[in-house]
């Protein structure tokens, strides 16, 4: 790449102030709105039960193109776009009702859709096989939507049609892409909770002391082994970027550091932290806040913040200071995601039907005992919803507390969000948003699919377990494919972005040409992940 073009493209994504959190919320709300319309079309018309080319195109238009429009042409009017998606969904729900014949005609789930033990086979010892965890369709939808918007933004940021306020901020502020980086880490922690739950289930069936002594070395080795491909990808990215003189935003992670190194180091560190602090800090949420709080104290009351932001780049540490020190903030986000996953992914059984209402009698609303009883009943009957609500409210409240300008008299408060530092306000913002997103997708799925499958499912299942009623497809196959092939599509998105930037003058591309490239790029990613998903299902 010519040096002049390289400098222009670097300037294009540098020194940006970001945008407001409210606007980011409006833009990201388009994804749940698209899922609502998809769910209405599926429950009323069964358009996605037989997944052919026409269903793929419609799925792509709803769950990919809508998000692309929200971040480009509709970036100033995301509420209008959400309304255009929700309007037809409301009409379908009001005018049509799901029929039993349509439900029976839906396709049967494949073996890949069911929970199967990993690491064991039919003839192995039951104690050695991995315990089954319930499949949570709303988690699949959440991760699929997160990957879609992340992949779109990776390329779209290089075009003028993508607003600069959505691109990563230089140092202080919030933006859509800053949120995307943290959400990627949060979702990784969410999924990692599944392994912890399986380890706990296996440990419960054995001698606890022997199990714990073995599990530390084994889990640490496994985490290091899983990190090797990501470390390799990080090294390859550094070498190719330097050799091709590809544009770099040095203040993002440093001269050599990149996001792959951060992702690679998270699992080993989490394994160590889980072992060291499991007795002192049994809650992942508390451990997350402990890590983030101590790191933020270091930023505010030592010279660490000054060093990260303005130290001369003289050695390997100072050259990569942003990536090395922001890692502690991302570790906090990962642990918070793992905390959410311990509730979301854990199996639970609702209590037997009771005549006692969930709500507390109005006369006792003002009493402590009444509130305590209401909260206890809510947690007992729907722990997923209750814990996500508590998480979202707690993180959001802490965020507003430490960033409120009215608290400027307190030294530790009145902080500003910084993705570059990954400080405590950034951690709290990311955690609050992702807990809220999970809650929204959970209730969308429960509204459209749990009511249909309740009579056909056993009472031992939770609302999140009803992923398929008599073969009913309840998750977008496209989003499911993104979720199953998350790392592959992320790597492919980075490769395609690099190729397009090498051969296309993105800074001077017209709106029409830019949108054509972005739609083609997103369609290519979608076709690849769906093809991989189909191939993996058919493989013996």
């Amino acid at each position: 790449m010519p040096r002049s073009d390289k400098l222009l493209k670097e300037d294009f994504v540098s020194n940006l102030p970001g945008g407001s959190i409210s606007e980011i919320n409006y833009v990201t709300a388009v994804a749940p709105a698209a899922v609502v319309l998809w769910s209405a079309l599926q429950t009323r018309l069964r358009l996605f039960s037989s997944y052919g080319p026409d269903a793929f195109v419609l799925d792509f238009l709803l769950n990919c193109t809508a998000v692309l429009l929200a971040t480009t042409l509709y970036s100033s009017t995301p509420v209008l776009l959400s309304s255009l998606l929700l309007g037809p969904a409301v009409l379908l729900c009001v005018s049509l009702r799901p029929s039993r014949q349509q439900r029976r005609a839906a396709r049967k789930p494949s073996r890949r859709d069911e929970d199967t033990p990993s690491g064991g086979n039919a003839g192995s010892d039951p104690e050695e096989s991995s315990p089954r965890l319930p499949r949570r369709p709303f988690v699949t939808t959440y991760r699929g939507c997160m990957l879609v918007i992340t992949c779109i933004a990776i390329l779209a940021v290089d075009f003028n049609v993508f607003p600069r306020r959505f691109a990563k901020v230089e140092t202080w502020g919030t933006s859509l892409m800053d949120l995307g980086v943290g959400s990627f880490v949060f979702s990784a922690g969410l999924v990692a909770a599944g392994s912890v739950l399986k380890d706990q289930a296996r440990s419960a069936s054995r001698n606890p002391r022997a199990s714990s002594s073995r599990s530390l070395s084994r889990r640490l080795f496994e985490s290091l082994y899983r990190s090797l491909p990501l470390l390799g990808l990080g090294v390859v990215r550094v070498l190719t970027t330097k050799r091709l003189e590809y544009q770099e935003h040095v203040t993002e992670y440093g001269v050599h550091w990149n996001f792959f190194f951060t992702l690679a180091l998270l699992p080993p560190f989490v394994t160590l932290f889980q072992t060291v602090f499991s007795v002192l800090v049994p809650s992942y949420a508390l451990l997350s806040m402990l890590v983030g709080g101590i790191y933020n104290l270091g930023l505010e009351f030592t010279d660490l913040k000054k060093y990260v932001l303005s130290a001369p780049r003289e050695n390997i540490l100072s050259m990569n200071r942003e990536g090395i020190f922001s890692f502690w903030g991302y570790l906090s986000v990962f642990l918070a995601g793992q905390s959410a996953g311990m509730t979301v992914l854990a199996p639970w059984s609702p209590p037997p039907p009771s005549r006692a209402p969930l709500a507390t009698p109005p006369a006792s609303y003002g009493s402590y005992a009444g509130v305590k009883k209401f909260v206890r009943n809510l947690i007992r009957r729907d722990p997923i919803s209750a814990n996500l609500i508590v998480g979202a409210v707690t993180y959001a409240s802490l965020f507003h507390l430490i960033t409120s300008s009215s608290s400027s008299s307190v030294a530790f408060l009145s902080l500003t969000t910084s993705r570059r530092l990954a400080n405590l306000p950034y951690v709290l913002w990311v955690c609050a948003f992702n807990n809220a997103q999970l809650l929204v997708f959970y209730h969308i799925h429960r509204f459209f699919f749990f009511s249909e499958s309740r009579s056909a499912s056993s009472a031992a299942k939770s609302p999140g377990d009803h992923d398929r009623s008599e073969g009913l497809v309840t998750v977008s196959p496209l989003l499911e494919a993104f979720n199953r092939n998350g790392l592959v599509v992320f790597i492919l998105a980075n490769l395609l972005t690099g190729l397009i930037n090498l051969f296309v003058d993105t800074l001077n591309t017209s709106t029409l040409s830019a949108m054509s490239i972005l739609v083609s790029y997103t369609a290519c990613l979608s076709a690849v992940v769906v093809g991989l998903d189909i191939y993996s299902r058919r493989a013996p």
Side-chain angles (χ1 to χ4, degrees):
M1 178 181 293
R3 182 168 179 81
S4 59
D5 292 345
K6 179 177 181 290
L7 294 176
L8 287 174
K9 290 189 176 184
E10 288 176 353
D11 291 339
F12 190 58
V13 296
S14 302
N15 302 312
L16 301 175
S20 66
I21 291 179
S22 58
E23 183 183 28
I24 295 171
N25 291 337
Y26 293 142
V27 171
T28 53
V30 171
V35 172
V36 168
L37 180 52
W38 184 95
S39 301
L41 290 170
Q42 175 63 357
T43 54
R44 269 61 185 177
L45 302 176
R46 299 295 190 271
L47 295 182
F48 304 98
S49 294
S50 179
Y51 204 70
D54 52 345
F56 168 77
V57 172
L58 182 57
D59 202 358
F60 171 77
L61 291 175
L62 288 176
N63 290 304
C64 291
T65 306
V67 174
L68 175 59
L69 291 175
T71 57
T72 53
L73 301 181
Y74 280 82
S75 59
S76 299
T77 56
V79 176
L80 174 60
L81 181 57
S82 295
S83 301
L84 294 175
L85 294 168
L86 293 175
V90 172
L91 290 176
L92 282 171
C93 293
V94 171
S95 59
L96 297 175
R97 296 177 65 87
S99 66
R100 289 184 175 274
Q101 287 183 343
Q102 288 175 321
R103 192 185 310 128
R104 294 193 190 101
R107 71 175 177 87
K108 299 294 181 181
S110 65
R111 288 188 175 183
R112 286 291 301 273
D113 298 324
E114 301 172 354
D115 295 310
T116 55
S118 59
N121 50 43
S124 62
D125 186 351
E127 290 187 355
E128 295 298 326
S129 61
S130 298
R132 294 176 180 269
L133 292 179
R135 181 178 180 272
R136 304 297 194 200
F138 71 95
V139 174
T140 299
T141 302
Y142 153 77
R143 295 192 74 241
C145 289
M146 182 273 300
L147 286 164
V148 167
I149 195 169
T150 298
C151 292
I152 289 174
I154 288 174
L155 176 61
V157 68
D158 296 320
F159 292 91
N160 282 296
V161 71
F162 189 85
R164 293 301 87 196
R165 63 185 183 276
F166 290 170
K168 293 177 181 176
V169 300
E170 186 66 22
T171 302
W172 307 107
T174 56
S175 74
L176 180 66
M177 292 193 70
D178 289 337
L179 179 62
V181 175
S183 297
F184 197 98
V185 174
F186 185 94
S187 69
L190 180 77
V191 174
S195 298
V196 178
L197 289 169
K198 290 181 178 181
D199 287 339
Q200 291 179 351
R202 283 193 292 264
S203 299
S205 62
R206 304 171 183 167
N207 185 338
R209 292 185 178 180
S211 176
S212 61
S213 63
R214 288 196 305 268
S215 63
L216 171 59
S217 57
R218 181 174 180 178
R219 287 188 294 118
L220 186 58
F221 173 79
E222 289 176 351
S223 63
L224 289 170
Y225 182 77
R226 288 195 299 267
S227 297
L228 290 178
L230 289 170
L231 287 172
L233 290 170
V235 172
V236 171
R237 180 178 174 83
V238 172
L239 295 177
T240 54
T241 299
K242 302 298 182 183
R243 185 173 182 82
L244 297 176
E245 294 190 356
Y246 192 74
Q247 68 260 26
E248 298 177 272
H249 193 187
V250 175
T251 58
E252 185 176 349
Y253 294 108
V255 177
H256 309 103
W257 198 276
N258 57 61
F259 191 49
F260 288 111
F261 290 140
T262 298
L263 291 176
L265 292 178
L266 283 171
F269 272 83
V270 169
T271 300
L272 290 174
F273 270 68
Q274 287 171 350
T275 304
V276 174
F277 295 101
S278 59
V279 178
L280 298 176
V281 188
S283 168
Y284 290 113
L286 290 178
L287 182 58
S288 167
M289 292 299 98
L290 181 64
V291 172
I294 292 176
Y295 169 58
N296 209 89
L297 285 171
L299 289 174
E300 296 299 322
F301 296 104
T302 68
D303 293 331
L304 179 59
K305 179 164 64 176
K306 180 180 178 181
Y307 175 80
V308 174
L309 296 180
S310 58
R313 301 185 186 274
E314 300 174 337
N315 50 50
I316 192 67
L317 177 63
S318 60
M319 283 181 169
N320 300 284
R321 56 184 187 265
E322 291 91 350
I324 293 172
F325 289 101
S326 67
F327 172 81
W328 298 104
Y330 289 119
L331 177 61
S332 180
V333 172
F334 189 94
L335 289 168
Q338 201 162 23
S339 174
M342 295 298 288
T343 299
V344 168
L345 301 180
W348 66 280
S349 299
S354 173
R355 295 182 180 180
L358 174 63
T360 309
S364 61
Y365 278 158
S367 67
Y368 172 76
V371 173
K372 184 178 180 181
K373 180 180 179 181
F374 176 82
V375 173
R376 188 191 305 118
N377 287 339
L378 177 61
I379 294 175
R380 182 171 61 94
R381 298 198 178 191
D382 193 352
I384 293 178
S385 183
N387 280 274
L388 290 176
I389 291 173
V390 170
V393 171
T394 301
Y395 290 127
S397 299
L398 290 174
F399 173 80
H400 287 293
L401 174 65
I402 67 174
T403 59
S404 174
S405 59
S406 61
S407 305
S408 57
S409 59
V410 183
F412 186 63
L413 304 183
S414 191
L415 302 176
T416 305
T417 307
S418 174
R419 188 262 326 145
R420 182 179 176 184
L421 296 171
N423 59 359
L424 187 58
Y426 175 76
V427 170
L428 293 172
W429 173 45
V430 169
C431 295
F433 172 84
N434 283 276
N435 273 270
Q437 280 285 95
L438 280 166
L439 181 65
V440 169
F441 285 121
Y442 170 71
H443 283 287
I444 290 174
H445 180 268
R446 187 172 185 182
F447 174 80
F448 281 101
F449 298 105
F450 177 52
S451 59
E452 289 187 41
S453 57
R454 183 183 306 171
S455 61
S457 302
S458 64
K461 291 185 178 181
S462 71
D465 289 329
H466 300 308
D467 53 349
R468 295 179 188 274
S469 171
E470 300 181 10
L472 172 63
V473 179
T474 64
V475 179
S476 159
L478 179 57
L479 295 180
E480 190 166 15
F482 267 92
N483 175 57
R484 288 184 187 275
N485 304 281
L487 182 59
V488 173
V489 72
F490 184 69
I491 296 172
L492 180 60
N494 279 274
L495 290 175
L496 290 178
T497 298
L499 289 174
I500 292 172
N501 272 276
L502 288 175
F503 296 105
V504 177
D505 183 7
T506 57
L507 301 184
N508 298 309
T509 303
S510 65
T511 299
L512 179 60
S513 298
M515 290 303 298
S516 300
I517 293 173
L518 289 172
V519 170
S520 302
Y521 157 83
T522 309
C524 178
L525 291 178
S526 301
V528 169
V529 295
V530 170
L532 288 174
D533 199 48
I534 293 174
Y535 175 79
S536 64
R537 290 175 185 272
R538 292 178 178 177

